[in-house]
């Protein structure tokens, strides 16, 4: 995980951001599934979203300490990405677990594919309902 610089941590609470829920969307490389999820959550709910990857080696934008602190909720597209973040980041396990929502989306979709968008939305809504009850 990428450590946060001092100025990044101060921006976590930047007062000029909206009051919208801040959601970090995480897949492996932050190229297909998590950017699609970020778009869907922004369009459907107006959330302030970011996309990141759990793989520091392959991710265009790897998950970072600053992003973990920034997020009100962290949505992992599958359990493998969730476990990868926990495995490499024991220091932040409790924060990640407290904010985590874990979906079950396989890595076989193109970016913004209609079936991917619908699956992400359906699973996110189902997890949200389960967390409320």
């Amino acid at each position: 995980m990428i450590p946060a610089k001092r100025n990044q941590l101060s921006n976590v609470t930047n007062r000029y951001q909206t009051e919208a829920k801040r959601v970090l969307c995480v897949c492996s490389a932050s190229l297909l599934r998590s950017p699609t999820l970020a778009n869907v959550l922004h369009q459907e709910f107006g959330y302030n979203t970011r996309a990141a990857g759990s793989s520091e080696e392959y991710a265009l934008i790897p998950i970072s300490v600053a992003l973990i602190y920034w997020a009100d909720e962290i949505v992992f597209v599958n359990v493998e990405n969730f476990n990868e973040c926990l495995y490499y980041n024991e220091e932040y396990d409790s924060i990640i677990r407290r904010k985590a929502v874990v979906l079950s989306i396989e890595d076989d979709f193109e970016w913004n594919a209609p079936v991917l968008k619908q699956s992400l939305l359906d699973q996110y809504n189902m997890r949200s309902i389960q967390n409320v009850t």
Side-chain angles (χ1 to χ4, degrees), residues 30-59:
S30 186
L31 294 173
L32 304 172
R33 294 170 295 166
S34 63
T36 300
L37 177 59
N39 286 343
V40 167
L41 296 180
H42 176 72
Q43 291 169 355
E44 291 292 323
F45 305 108
Y47 294 162
N48 185 352
T49 59
R50 302 288 181 272
S54 60
S55 171
E56 285 187 39
E57 186 176 344
Y58 297 108

Side-chain angles (χ1 to χ4, degrees), residues 12-96:
V12 165
T13 56
N14 183 312
R15 62 189 170 121
Y16 295 106
Q17 291 192 60
T18 68
E19 294 297 317
K21 183 177 188 177
R22 295 175 300 201
V23 181
L24 177 60
C25 305
V26 181
C27 68
S28 300
S30 186
L31 294 173
L32 304 172
R33 294 170 295 166
S34 63
T36 300
L37 177 59
N39 286 343
V40 167
L41 296 180
H42 176 72
Q43 291 169 355
E44 291 292 323
F45 305 108
Y47 294 162
N48 185 352
T49 59
R50 302 288 181 272
S54 60
S55 171
E56 285 187 39
E57 186 176 344
Y58 297 108
L60 182 61
I61 301 170
I63 192 167
S64 69
V65 172
L67 287 171
I68 289 171
Y69 280 109
W70 171 84
D72 296 319
E73 179 176 79
I74 304 171
V75 182
F76 295 89
V77 297
N78 63 35
V79 71
E80 291 84 7
N81 299 122
F82 174 69
N83 288 336
E84 187 171 28
C85 283
L86 294 181
Y87 178 78
Y88 291 114
N89 307 297
E90 292 179 17
E91 182 178 348
Y92 302 99
D93 275 9
S94 63
I95 298 168
I96 292 170

